[in-house]
Amino acid sequence: MGKQESEKTVTGSDGSGRYERKALIDKLYETQELSREEWIRLIEGRTPELSQYLFEKARAVREREYGKAVYIRGLIECSNYCRNNCYYCGIRRGNQNAQRYRLTADEILSCCENGYSLGFRTFVLQGGEDPAMTDGWVADVIRRIKKEFPDCAVTLSLGEKSEAAYQCLFDAGADRYLLRHETADADHYGKLHPDGLSLAHRMECLRTLKRIGFQTGCGFMVGSPGQTPECLAKDMAFIRELNPQMVGIGPFIPQHDTPFRDERAGAFEETLWLLGLIRLMLPRVLLPATTALGTIHPKGRELGMLAGANVVMPNLSPLGVRKKYLLYDNKICTGDEAAESLNSLKESMKAIGYEVAVGRGDYRL
Ligand code: 5AD
């Protein structure tokens, strides 16, 4: 397509390009695929009207695949020690102000007991890359959880490990693993992470996790410093190629004790827009309305659901440590995000026509 012709097509009859971008949403809905140029055009071309159009389609797909069910995961923040020094993250090694903690196995088990009685059937063990939390120790914890709660799924979110370590955790009974790729653009990856961390290794970990048999989740922050529409187009292409069972995205939120303290936060509407696009690209994906989304908007979780999300991850961590697991500023940690407020979460989901499900909420094969 020549430049002139493409410009004519991009510019719709009202000069805004709205018509053509609507056609791109239709194409994504029908084929689950767009070219790089099409991704960029769509990602750049968000408007409130197009967003409403996208969200309607995303909800239709989500309801076709999963009905009105909202899957819940109980998040247990096991440790905020981390050997890494990512520029965006509040639990980075270099943050001297972080109050470090590590839960004991018994504490984790009692979080699960509490969660089970509330109706949770998935427990997510998340933590920094804490060398003291050895693979053998984590494997023991997984075995204890699986023994006590055989009808529950265990999800891990513990960062980059060797293939042998991932295999050991899988053999211990872990079902799922979340490892956000953070950005699929290698240069951008280098702006978010210090030397020694690489996109290539991150991607290799994700492929290993999938090959081992984990239901695997990748994802990224929306509006992280240096992110461009080109970066996001690469994220979409990478996600499509990996074809993960889960994708976690949320807005970047600056944390005051990090090098990115003065950077701008990611935009709420853009995060919703990307949730909708991901739903159309991967119709069956398990897609959370994340805590970060709930942090930047009082109705974040509801609006996330209405944009195509189908998972929420309330916090099951002991109350005393929630304020210490501060990846970013103003993290919600007393209201509806908390597992104790499951009733109000149920109410708020009911109010938008959805229903919190009791069950593992596995990926539909
Ligand atoms: N803002 C938003 N999300 C963040 N994460 C880490 N730091 C921040 C921040 N400042 C996300 C990363 C990580 C996940 C556990 O939390 O994407 O993978």
Side-chain angles (χ1 to χ4, degrees), residues 10 16-22 24-25 37-51 229 270 273 277:
V10 173
S16 71
R18 186 149 50 93
Y19 296 102
E20 200 246 358
R21 288 192 292 265
K22 210 167 168 196
L24 289 178
I25 293 173
E37 291 70 32
E38 288 171 331
W39 270 124
I40 293 173
R41 209 179 296 153
L42 199 49
I43 287 162
E44 286 178 335
R46 177 175 56 82
T47 65
E49 301 78 55
L50 278 169
S51 297
E270 191 181 13
W273 174 248
L277 294 174

Side-chain angles (χ1 to χ4, degrees), residues 23 50 69 92 134 158 178 306 331 347:
L50 278 169
R92 66 200 304 271
T134 63
L158 300 170
L178 304 171
L306 293 172
K331 188 183 106 175
E347 288 305 315

Side-chain angles (χ1 to χ4, degrees), residues 86-91 126-127 157 178-182 202 219-222 248-255 258 260 292 325-329:
C86 309
Y87 303 136
Y88 47 85
C89 184
I91 64 167
Q126 186 177 83
S157 178
L178 304 171
L179 183 71
R180 290 191 180 177
H181 64 282
E182 311 297 357
R202 198 78 173 177
F220 57 90
M221 290 174 288
V222 179
I249 68 163
F252 161 73
I253 303 172
Q255 207 278 4
T258 65
F260 287 169
Y325 198 81
L326 287 183
L327 306 182
Y328 43 81
D329 286 342

Side-chain angles (χ1 to χ4, degrees), residues 4 19 29 31 112 119 149 174 199 223 228 312 355:
Q4 246 183 343
Y19 296 102
Y29 174 71
T31 69
C112 295
F149 311 101
L199 178 59
T228 62
V312 277
E355 196 169 7

Side-chain angles (χ1 to χ4, degrees), residues 135-150:
D135 303 319
W137 184 86
V138 178
D140 276 338
V141 173
I142 296 166
R143 279 188 285 265
R144 282 182 62 183
I145 296 174
K146 284 289 188 168
K147 189 164 175 224
E148 203 171 327
F149 311 101

Side-chain angles (χ1 to χ4, degrees), residues 36 39-40 43-44 183-185 227-236:
R36 207 179 106 77
W39 270 124
I40 293 173
I43 287 162
E44 286 178 335
T183 171
D185 180 286
Q227 185 178 66
T228 62
E230 286 77 12
C231 295
L232 289 166
K234 285 189 186 175
D235 287 319
M236 298 309 265

